[in-house]
Amino acid sequence: MDQPTWIGHSLSGRYKISALLGKGGMSAVHKANDPNLKRVVTIKLIHPHLSTDGSFIHRFKKEAAAVAAFRHPNIVQVHDFNVDEEVYYMVLEFIPGETLQERLKELKRSNSKISIEQAIRTILNICDAMGYAHKGGMIHRNIKPANIMLDVHGQAILMDFGIVKIVDDDTHTATGAVIGTARYMSPEVIRSETPHERSDIYSLGVTFYEMLSGTPPFNANSAMSLMMRHLNDPVPDLRELRPDVPAELVAIINRSLQKDREQRYRSADEMAGDLRRIFARLEAVPVSSPPPTIGTPIPTATRTSAPTATEPEPVILAANTEAPAATQTPNTAPTVTSTLPPLYVRINSITVNADDDYVVDDETFGYTEIPPGQHVHFFFDTVPVEQAGSPGNGRWRTASL
């Protein structure tokens, strides 16, 4: 049954359609109401010309059932799939929010860029979703900003798992690809090879690059030109477009965008592991933040072994959200001292070790590396010695060694 508009009509006597949300090459997406469960849902109506294809119907039933079995917070939930008078449709959860594509377009219009931290959070959500699905034997095949929803809580949710496979299983190639899809195609998919988990990683790398820079790594006026660039052109230097992106993050993106899939991350989980290490460091010492000023609270430091007097040893940081009652500082502005305390430690760098601990390289002044048994002032090397003052309130507290 082909309707000029489905708005106001019901499917299978149950789902009443209220609005058109969008259209694609395979389906039209509508908002609808499910009176049985009293909830709003999303209806994906498969275009009629596909419903006459017997192989399509077989794939639809098989793949829709596989995706409906997924239970992951970062994958859109499939509630139902059915047919109503030769109209095939899927019923999915309705997610209030916007697509990542819409968010990026709005940022571009306002000449803004997404924060590095938010970009990492989004990609971590999608890595988790991909890793879960890949373990279940499902490859997405069409990772791109238009298929990532950002809900009202800031979580990223991956949509349309298995849709490409439903539309065109064994014969899926780059032939006839539109520019919007070609922007995110991996080289092996362009060469009509069988899609792989690492093909999804490549597409996610393209998405990540676009999030941070505001533009995909490769652009062209035609799908064929775009695909040739994916096959042959080196990845443009991301830091030329956005200098504040940490070099370690650029390395992660470049690895995900290797032409040879064997040189990419072996899994989404492996990529997520590297991202979490960088994200933890950015949260502790934000790259985009100004240098600490006088009175900035300093992390607690504890030593892991007896240091020598000639060579400073890294210090492991332990986060403290609240100081013990005996050392709690009143909630007042920090007092700035005119002279530096006689015993102090200057922090030169912070890194993350293999165990995901924060490691601080420091120098001691006024005493040897043996703890003196009294209060020691810590501050970053970005603060001139003569300007270092007393620490104040905050999430971190100073250490009494």
Side-chain angles (χ1 to χ4, degrees), residues 95-139:
I95 303 172
E98 62 182 344
T99 67
L100 177 58
Q101 181 183 60
E102 291 168 337
R103 172 72 60 82
L104 294 178
K105 284 181 178 179
E106 181 58 36
L107 288 169
K108 193 168 187 177
R109 279 194 291 268
S110 61
N111 198 29
S112 303
K113 287 186 173 64
I114 196 168
S115 73
I116 292 173
E117 291 82 0
Q118 183 56 54
I120 295 176
R121 287 191 194 99
T122 298
I123 297 300
L124 277 172
N125 286 164
I126 303 307
C127 276
D128 289 345
M130 282 170 40
Y132 171 88
H134 289 167
K135 290 182 180 72
M138 180 71 77
I139 299 169

Side-chain angles (χ1 to χ4, degrees), residues 162-178:
I163 295 302
V164 171
K165 191 173 183 181
I166 292 172
V167 174
D168 194 5
D169 191 7
D170 297 330
T171 60
H172 175 64
T173 69
T175 303
V178 296

Side-chain angles (χ1 to χ4, degrees), residues 5-134:
T5 175
W6 280 92
I7 297 174
H9 292 269
S10 295
L11 284 167
S12 302
R14 176 174 177 178
Y15 304 106
K16 187 170 183 179
I17 295 175
S18 59
L20 175 67
L21 299 178
K23 289 184 178 181
M26 168 188 166
S27 62
V29 182
H30 292 79
K31 183 178 179 181
N33 181 59
D34 178 0
N36 288 12
L37 297 178
K38 295 181 173 58
R39 64 184 177 188
V40 177
V41 295
T42 299
I43 302 288
K44 190 179 291 288
L45 284 168
I46 309 304
H47 290 324
H49 71 276
L50 293 171
S51 301
T52 59
D53 183 345
S55 62
F56 165 80
I57 294 172
H58 172 75
R59 288 193 302 272
F60 176 85
K61 293 178 178 178
K62 178 182 176 182
E63 300 301 327
V67 177
F70 285 173
R71 294 291 186 277
H72 192 279
N74 300 112
I75 298 178
V76 66
Q77 181 65 56
V78 176
H79 295 316
D80 191 13
F81 59 96
N82 211 332
V83 59
D84 182 357
E85 296 186 21
E86 298 184 350
V87 175
Y88 285 80
Y89 64 92
M90 300 174 72
V91 183
L92 307 97
E93 66 174 313
F94 178 78
I95 303 172
E98 62 182 344
T99 67
L100 177 58
Q101 181 183 60
E102 291 168 337
R103 172 72 60 82
L104 294 178
K105 284 181 178 179
E106 181 58 36
L107 288 169
K108 193 168 187 177
R109 279 194 291 268
S110 61
N111 198 29
S112 303
K113 287 186 173 64
I114 196 168
S115 73
I116 292 173
E117 291 82 0
Q118 183 56 54
I120 295 176
R121 287 191 194 99
T122 298
I123 297 300
L124 277 172
N125 286 164
I126 303 307
C127 276
D128 289 345
M130 282 170 40
Y132 171 88
H134 289 167

